């Protein structure tokens, strides 16, 4: 008779990861590390919140994005309760990195690319999610990949302009907080963050696609600057070669 790997082992509560309605745990399922989330005890027997966690599983199970934590299962775990089982994304939250002043250029670049891509995807799926904040953004321990962990549980036919505007504002606030904790500054990103967090929603970007284009334009402007600089140098070189001051060919 062969020994079988226990279904659940090494279950550990992670209080710093807890969400408003949930407790978060790390555990091994058949020897593989996963994360699990379950209703806090005060909500576990309330039908309204039981329906909420079921709805979250139904909505998020079909999502597929490299920067959003993926849901694998929904099951009863002895001693814990009814749980959503997700990929293992153990690592440091952006909140922790900000607190410890450990935000690097790589982290900021991931906020500029990966986080915006994740928010665009969520909006394209018409999902209303909790307020974006540094606690919900994780950089995984081994690879350092950005993962958004608190994605929401309600999917609608469309999103209101208010929901979209709130996402833009919160993204700008997160970007500002990260730059404040970094050992460098970026005037272009500061400008974009400032527009995202303008007190007048009409002055903000209209959607995350516009934010994305503004961020990408930063790279395009740098590339255009290099190209223009090269063309100017070449033009000046040509003028010099055609001028009386150009060196004479050998033998003349």
């Amino acid at each position: 008779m062969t020994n079988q790997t226990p279904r659940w082992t090494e279950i550990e509560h992670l209080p710093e990861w807890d969400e408003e309605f949930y407790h978060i745990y790390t555990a091994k399922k058949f020897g593989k590390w996963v994360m699990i989330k379950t209703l806090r005890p005060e909500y576990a027997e309330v039908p309204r919140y039981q329906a909420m966690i079921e709805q979250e599983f139904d909505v998020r199970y079909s999502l597929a994005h490299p920067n959003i934590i993926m849901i694998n299962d929904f099951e009863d775990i002895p001693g814990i309760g009814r749980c959503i089982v997700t990929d293992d994304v153990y690592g440091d939250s952006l909140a922790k990195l900000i607190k410890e002043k450990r935000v690097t250029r790589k982290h900021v670049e991931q906020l500029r690319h990966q986080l915006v891509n994740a928010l665009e995807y969520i909006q394209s799926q018409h999902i209303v999610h909790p307020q974006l904040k540094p606690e919900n953004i994780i950089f995984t321990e081994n690879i350092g990949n950005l993962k958004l962990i608190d994605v929401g549980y309600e999917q609608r036919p469309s999103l209101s302009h208010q929901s979209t505007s709130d996402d833009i504002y919160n993204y700008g606030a997160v970007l500002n907080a990260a730059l404040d904790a970094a050992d460098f500054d970026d005037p272009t990103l500061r400008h974009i963050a400032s527009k995202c967090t303008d007190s007048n929603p009409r002055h903000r970007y209209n959607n995350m696609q516009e934010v994305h284009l503004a961020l990408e334009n930063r790279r395009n402007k740098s590339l255009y600057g290099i190209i223009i600089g090269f063309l100017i140098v070449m033009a000046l070189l040509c003028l010099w070669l055609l001028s009386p001051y150009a060196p004479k060919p050998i033998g003349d």
Side-chain angles (χ1 to χ4, degrees):
M1 181 177 180
T2 59
N3 292 325
Q4 293 186 342
T5 303
R7 187 177 184 86
W8 291 104
T9 57
E10 300 187 47
I11 299 175
E12 180 183 355
H13 182 209
L14 302 175
E16 70 276 15
W17 286 50
D18 283 347
E19 300 171 9
E20 182 178 4
F21 302 108
Y22 300 107
H23 280 167
I24 308 298
Y25 297 79
T26 182
K28 281 186 176 180
K29 181 179 181 181
F30 293 123
K32 177 183 177 182
W33 284 108
V34 296
M35 307 289 283
I36 54 180
K37 64 188 296 184
T38 188
L39 289 169
R40 291 172 178 263
E42 60 266 34
Y43 304 120
E45 302 302 324
V46 181
R48 168 187 167 192
Y49 295 107
Q50 291 173 340
M52 182 184 73
I53 191 172
E54 291 178 7
Q55 182 179 13
E56 177 169 351
F57 173 77
D58 290 340
V59 168
R60 292 182 54 189
Y61 186 69
S62 61
L63 297 182
H65 191 279
N67 302 116
I68 294 175
I69 185 172
M70 302 301 294
I71 286 180
N72 300 323
D73 211 342
F74 188 44
E75 62 179 283
D76 291 307
I77 300 177
I80 304 295
R82 193 72 166 154
C83 299
I84 289 176
V85 183
T86 74
D87 289 343
D88 175 36
V89 290
Y90 191 79
D92 290 331
S93 70
L94 178 59
K96 182 177 181 181
L97 296 174
I98 289 173
K99 182 179 180 180
E100 298 176 356
K101 300 291 185 181
R102 292 196 291 119
V103 178
T104 66
R105 288 184 181 273
K106 180 181 178 181
H107 294 134
V108 173
E109 283 299 296
Q110 288 172 296
L111 296 176
R112 187 166 78 89
H113 293 290
Q114 297 178 356
L115 181 57
V116 171
N117 288 339
L119 290 172
E120 275 190 286
Y121 178 76
I122 291 171
Q123 288 188 355
S124 73
Q125 300 298 309
H126 304 154
I127 294 175
V128 179
H129 59 90
Q131 177 185 343
L132 177 70
K133 50 188 178 180
E135 289 81 359
N136 300 339
I137 302 165
I138 302 296
F139 296 92
T140 57
E141 185 174 46
N142 294 326
I143 303 177
N145 192 25
L146 181 149
K147 292 283 186 178
L148 192 57
I149 63 172
D150 195 2
V151 178
Y153 61 89
E154 184 178 0
Q155 191 168 31
R156 298 178 178 177
S158 63
L159 292 180
S160 68
H161 180 72
Q162 182 65 50
S163 293
T164 302
S165 185
D166 287 347
D167 272 353
I168 292 168
Y169 180 91
N170 293 328
Y171 173 76
V174 165
L175 188 57
N176 265 329
L179 289 170
D180 287 343
D183 60 358
F184 70 96
D185 203 7
D186 188 312
T188 302
L189 292 183
R190 285 287 191 187
H191 173 74
I192 291 172
S194 177
K195 184 170 181 177
C196 287
T197 56
D198 196 295
S199 58
N200 186 344
R202 293 184 179 181
H203 296 163
R204 299 173 195 163
Y205 298 99
N206 290 315
N207 49 53
M208 287 308 301
Q209 287 84 358
E210 287 190 6
V211 176
H212 198 165
L213 288 173
L215 292 165
E216 290 302 315
N217 195 41
R218 170 177 174 268
R219 173 186 286 182
N220 292 342
K221 284 183 177 179
S222 299
L223 179 60
Y224 294 153
I226 293 172
I227 294 173
I228 291 172
F230 175 77
L231 292 175
I232 290 173
V233 170
M234 294 303 295
L236 291 174
L237 178 61
C238 289
L239 289 174
W240 179 68
L241 291 174
L242 295 174
S243 73
Y245 304 103
K248 299 296 184 182
I250 296 176
D252 285 358

